[in-house]
């Protein structure tokens, strides 16, 4: 079966596109899928850092597009998982170094050798976004439960509908259960009410993400944490399995205390 | 139609100005008046001129073009039956038919909707839009102008950044999200939640109304009046409401009967 090309995008920056891409790549690879992640944020590359592969980069996507190297040479193999690869962005160039047609071509070259191609889109709705979206078969929109992030997600959904990329699916990232409970944060239903697209995952705020990002060890390598588990659930849903949405535990409530007690 | 010597209509080819009979000087003044009184509505668009059998010289066409461009609209085609007029238009580099130029104006494109709109021949319009989507996706969003006399039905949710601009009435079956915009010459009706920005009666008609199942726009304009959402109002209204101008103010009332 040819690879599914999935673009992860959001409009707003800082909502967790790169984290989601890295973790979904890891989770899918752990499930036996052959995965390539592509960093489409040329000039501001991050995915390599989050995946802990920064020091292995020799060539990047601009080199591939410009014919400096072959695609195979630019793919960085993950140090932990045999079937996970990264196609890094160039750091010294900008978004105009690659066009939508180039992205489509690069993805076409990978169709037969992999199961999933995950594209980490840059923030914004300009050239970088257009590059990232051009080859996509499917789109995942990442948002956080904030009014501004939801507004941008709505804009992006509108643009994707115009591109006829099929229905986009939503990941709500960084939900804080205690804040939702106090009524200080939008909850899932508030977000869904505006965006009205299929939900594919809810990821709780998890300090482990910050630690893992800094260390270059995606949380999805370990399924004991809440965020890691959430990304695994999304990976299962991408593979067509019907996984119930986890109830995000309010760690300050009784259940939370109980759970922590058991774990320690 | 003595009062309609200058007729401005939205069609599947975009905005069309039809010039009736009468002295050209009078028509020019009337055209200027009509365009300037509704300036915000037409600005940035382009327009085709229907002149019927009238014979126009290059100079006269230039005068028409200047009047139009002075109001922020550009003239792209002159459609007429008179051979001299056609020659003059060609001399000015203007189109003389719709068919050679299928791309609708940037300000008045059809929505990139795949939903069929029954009973409407949309072949040339849609093909034009696809071409346009390649180049300017963001703005192609949802601008349209068709059958102004009737109004337009939009069967989808309008999302942030999408704009419906229509000379007639606009009916939306779906929500109008925050950041979306509807500018209508006539009334606006939303069968859903209205949370974006709406301008009804945008050509200066204070008699226009806006109604929605849940009326909670960020900003509401009717004719020359502006109202904004009350600060700090939480939640959405649970009953349908209709907004209209009463005694110089925009008022929302329960929409019943």
């Amino acid at each position: 079966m040819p690879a599914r090309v999935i673009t992860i995008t959001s409009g707003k920056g800082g909502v967790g596109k790169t984290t989601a891409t890295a973790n979904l790549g890891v989770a899918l690879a752990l499930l036996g899928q052959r995965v390539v992640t592509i960093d489409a944020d040329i000039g501001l590359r991050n995915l390599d850092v989050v995946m802990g592969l920064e020091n292995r980069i020799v060539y990047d996507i601009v080199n591939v597009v410009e014919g400096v190297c072959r695609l195979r040479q630019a793919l960085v193999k993950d140090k932990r998982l045999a079937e996970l690869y990264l196609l890094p962005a160039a750091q010294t160039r900008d978004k105009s170094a690659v066009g939508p047609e180039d992205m489509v071509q690069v993805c076409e070259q990978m169709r037969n050798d992999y199961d999933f191609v995950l594209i980490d889109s840059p923030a914004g709705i300009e050239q970088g976004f257009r590059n990232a979206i051009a080859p996509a078969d499917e789109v995942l929109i990442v948002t956080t439960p904030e009014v501004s992030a939801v507004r941008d997600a709505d804009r992006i959904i509108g643009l994707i509908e115009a591109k006829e990329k099929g229905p986009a699916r939503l990941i709500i990232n960084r939900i804080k259960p205690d804040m939702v409970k106090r009524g200080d944060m939008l909850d899932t239903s508030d977000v869904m009410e505006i965006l009205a697209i299929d939900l594919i995952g809810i990821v709780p705020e998890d300090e482990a993400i910050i630690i893992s990002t800094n260390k270059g060890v995606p949380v999805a390598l370990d399924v004991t944490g809440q965020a890691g588990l959430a990304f695994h659930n999304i990976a299962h849903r991408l593979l067509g399995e019907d996984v119930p949405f986890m109830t995000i535990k309010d760690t300050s409530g009784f259940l939370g205390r109980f759970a922590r007690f058991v774990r320690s | 139609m003595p009062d309609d010597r200058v007729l401005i209509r939205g069609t599947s080819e975009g905005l069309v100005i039809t010039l009736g009979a009468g002295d050209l000087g009078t028509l020019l003044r009337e055209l200027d008046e009509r365009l300037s009184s509704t300036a915000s509505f037409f600005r940035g668009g382009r327009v085709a001129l229907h002149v019927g059998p009238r014979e126009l010289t290059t100079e006269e066409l230039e005068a028409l073009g200047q009047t139009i461009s002075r109001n922020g609209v550009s003239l792209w085609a002159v459609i007429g039956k008179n051979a001299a007029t056609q020659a003059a238009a060609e001399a000015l580099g203007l189109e003389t038919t719709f068919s050679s130029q299928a791309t609708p104006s940037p300000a008045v494109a059809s929505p990139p909707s795949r939903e069929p709109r029954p009973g409407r021949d949309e072949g040339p319009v849609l093909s034009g839009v696809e071409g346009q989507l390649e180049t300017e996706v963001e703005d192609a969003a949802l601008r349209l102008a068709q059958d102004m006399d009737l109004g337009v039905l939009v069967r989808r949710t309008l999302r942030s950044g999408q704009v419906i601009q229509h000379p007639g009435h606009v009916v939306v079956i779906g929500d109008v999200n925050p950041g979306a915009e509807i500018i209508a010459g006539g009334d606006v009706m939303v069968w859903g939640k209205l949370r974006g920005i709406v301008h009804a009666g945008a050509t200066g008609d204070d008699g226009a109304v806006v109604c929605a199942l849940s009326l909670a726009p960020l900003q509401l304009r009717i004719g020359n009046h502006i109202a904004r959402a009350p600060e700090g109002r939480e939640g959405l209204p649970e009953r349908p409401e209709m907004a209209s101008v009463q005694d110089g103010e925009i008022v929302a009332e329960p929409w019943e009967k």
Side-chain angles (χ1 to χ4, degrees):
Chain A
M1 213 172 66
R4 287 159 67 185
V5 179
I6 305 180
T7 297
I8 292 112
T9 186
S10 69
K12 192 173 183 299
V15 297
K17 288 178 295 295
T18 302
T19 306
T21 308
N23 282 290
L24 289 178
V26 165
L28 285 166
L30 280 171
L31 292 171
Q33 303 293 312
R34 297 166 298 167
V35 185
V36 177
T37 59
I38 300 182
D39 191 344
D41 202 349
I42 298 163
L44 291 169
R45 77 175 179 207
N46 275 159
L47 187 57
D48 53 324
V49 180
V50 173
M51 292 176 75
L53 301 174
E54 194 183 5
N55 55 4
R56 296 169 189 234
I57 296 175
V58 179
Y59 296 111
D60 56 50
I61 189 166
V62 175
N63 296 143
V64 175
V65 167
E66 292 181 346
V68 174
C69 67
R70 279 173 289 115
L71 177 59
R72 288 255 172 208
Q73 294 174 291
L75 289 176
V76 181
K77 192 172 175 304
D78 187 78
K79 55 191 178 193
R80 295 145 299 220
L81 297 163
E83 293 293 355
L84 178 61
Y85 295 85
L86 164 71
L87 179 57
Q91 182 68 329
T92 53
R93 303 289 291 273
D94 64 39
K95 311 290 189 259
S96 61
V98 169
E101 286 306 313
D102 301 323
M103 293 295 290
V104 171
Q105 240 176 23
V106 166
C107 289
E108 281 311 313
Q109 287 181 55
M110 294 195 271
R111 288 249 184 218
N112 294 324
D113 301 327
Y114 302 93
D115 300 308
F116 282 91
V117 176
L118 305 180
I119 303 176
D120 180 21
S121 159
I125 55 174
E126 295 81 17
Q127 166 116 34
F129 165 73
R130 285 198 289 267
N131 287 346
I133 220 74
D137 305 318
E138 300 166 48
V139 179
L140 301 184
I141 313 259
V142 184
T143 188
T144 57
E146 290 166 84
V147 173
S148 57
V150 172
R151 186 77 55 92
D152 289 359
D154 194 44
R155 175 93 163 99
I156 290 285
I157 294 166
L159 293 176
I160 289 164
E161 282 173 354
K163 286 272 194 185
E164 307 195 347
K165 286 293 178 190
R169 288 185 283 181
L170 186 70
I171 297 174
I172 305 179
N173 196 15
R174 307 187 66 174
I175 287 235
K176 287 186 172 186
D178 52 330
M179 284 187 73
V180 171
K181 205 169 160 189
R182 289 202 305 270
D184 291 336
M185 184 178 257
L186 300 176
D187 69 11
T188 309
S189 64
D190 296 329
V191 177
M192 295 307 292
E193 200 219 4
I194 291 208
L195 298 182
I197 58 172
D198 285 344
L199 185 66
I200 194 169
I202 308 168
V203 184
E205 175 87 357
D206 188 343
E207 285 183 4
I209 291 276
I210 298 171
I211 301 166
S212 89
T213 302
N214 290 340
K215 285 188 178 165
V217 184
V219 287
L221 285 165
D222 166 20
V223 279
T224 55
Q226 284 217 13
L229 182 59
F231 283 117
H232 272 271
N233 287 345
I234 297 172
H236 281 287
R237 291 186 195 110
L238 281 175
L239 291 170
E241 294 168 43
D242 189 12
V243 186
F245 287 96
M246 63 190 204
T247 43
I248 291 175
K249 291 190 188 75
D250 173 7
T251 44
S252 62
F254 168 76
L255 269 175
R257 261 187 289 124
F258 188 65
R260 264 184 290 159
F261 177 71
V262 171
R263 209 180 293 157
S264 61
Chain B
M1 291 187 291
D3 294 325
D4 273 329
R5 281 170 303 190
V6 174
L7 187 65
I8 306 179
R9 287 190 312 131
T11 72
S12 53
E13 274 86 22
L15 277 177
V16 174
I17 298 177
T18 308
L19 289 186
D23 169 55
L24 187 68
T26 318
L27 287 179
L28 271 173
R29 272 194 302 283
E30 197 170 320
L31 177 62
D32 197 24
E33 216 169 89
R34 288 286 300 279
L35 285 174
S36 60
S37 68
T38 53
S40 72
F41 188 69
F42 297 118
R43 182 154 295 146
R46 53 170 213 171
V47 67
L49 199 58
H50 252 287
V51 296
R54 181 186 287 272
E55 180 174 341
L56 291 164
T57 64
T58 320
E59 289 75 34
E60 286 168 329
L61 274 180
E62 266 182 335
L64 279 162
Q66 278 163 10
T67 303
I68 290 167
S69 61
R70 199 162 51 236
N71 288 289
V73 191
S74 62
L75 180 65
W76 70 276
V78 175
I79 318 292
K81 296 188 185 105
N82 187 293
T85 307
Q86 286 183 6
E90 274 164 15
L92 288 171
L94 297 165
E95 300 288 338
T96 52
T97 54
F98 284 133
S99 56
S100 60
Q101 176 56 289
T103 311
S105 102
V108 284
S110 268
S113 160
R114 278 168 298 165
E115 285 139 5
R117 287 196 301 271
R120 190 172 290 165
D121 174 23
E122 47 187 5
V125 178
L126 270 187
S127 63
V129 167
E130 275 159 21
Q132 183 177 347
L133 282 178
E134 295 296 321
T135 52
E136 40 173 323
V137 181
E138 294 90 18
D139 297 317
L142 283 166
R143 302 167 176 219
L144 50 92
Q146 283 176 335
D147 305 340
M148 149 172 163
D149 306 334
L150 297 172
V152 67
L153 172 66
V154 181
R155 252 178 69 189
R156 59 188 291 170
T157 287
L158 293 184
R159 298 186 180 276
S160 176
Q162 296 181 324
V163 180
I164 293 267
Q165 199 170 347
H166 191 271
H169 308 299
V170 174
V171 178
V172 177
I173 299 180
D175 295 341
V176 179
N177 281 355
E181 211 171 316
I182 297 177
I183 303 168
D187 302 329
V188 176
M189 184 179 131
V190 178
W191 196 262
K193 295 182 276 280
L194 169 45
R195 286 181 283 201
I197 293 175
V198 172
H199 193 172
T203 48
D205 177 12
D206 283 351
V209 298
V210 176
C211 36
L213 292 188
S214 188
L215 184 72
L218 287 174
Q219 201 186 76
L220 187 60
R221 303 179 199 169
I222 296 179
N224 300 313
H225 301 271
I226 285 197
R228 64 184 155 66
E231 304 272 344
R233 189 167 112 179
E234 294 270 325
L236 290 163
E238 283 168 12
R239 286 156 169 249
E241 289 178 305
M242 178 188 286
S244 59
V245 175
Q246 292 176 20
D247 302 325
E249 273 183 48
I250 297 179
V251 183
E253 293 170 310
W255 180 21
E256 290 163 340
K257 278 182 277 185

